[in-house]
Amino acid sequence: MELTGLFVLAALMIASFAGLESKLGRTDRRIARVERKLDLILDHLGLHAGDPELPQVTALLREGKKIQAIKAYREATGADLKEAKEAVERMG
């Protein structure tokens, strides 16, 4: 009897995690759509939201510390790893 209850509990937990993952996926897609729209608006207005000036990141790049520069960029901007890597590569 207890074993059945554990299986039911495990199934409910898996289902709730799957639902949460689905909601996060939808949120990510919505954010990406909004970012694309903002980029189009900025382009239309002739405004360029370039990479922020980050002297610490630039200094680390000059010293050849690319990984530390990426970490510093992430901390300063809140960017994810891929975004930060691409931005640092553009800077260097």
Side-chain angles (χ1 to χ4, degrees):
M1 197 69 169
E2 287 183 28
L3 188 59
T4 305
L6 288 175
F7 281 125
V8 169
L9 180 62
L12 288 172
M13 288 178 63
I14 290 171
S16 68
F17 286 133
L20 179 62
E21 185 178 347
S22 174
K23 287 180 183 179
L24 289 175
R26 284 192 305 259
T27 302
D28 286 344
R29 286 190 300 275
R30 281 179 149 172
I31 290 171
R33 233 180 10 248
V34 169
E35 287 176 344
R36 282 192 303 272
K37 289 177 182 181
L38 286 173
D39 288 340
L40 288 171
I41 291 168
L42 289 171
D43 286 343
H44 179 74
L45 295 173
L47 302 174
H48 300 285
D51 293 330
E53 293 297 321
L54 302 169
Q56 179 186 11
V57 175
T58 306
L60 288 167
L61 280 173
R62 284 190 198 124
E63 296 171 15
K65 298 178 180 179
K66 185 176 177 182
I67 293 172
Q68 288 87 348
I70 292 170
K71 183 178 177 183
Y73 186 92
R74 290 185 70 193
E75 290 172 358
T77 64
D80 64 19
L81 181 59
K82 182 182 177 199
E83 242 181 309
K85 182 179 181 288
E86 291 171 354
V88 167
E89 287 175 349
R90 282 192 302 270
M91 293 170 83

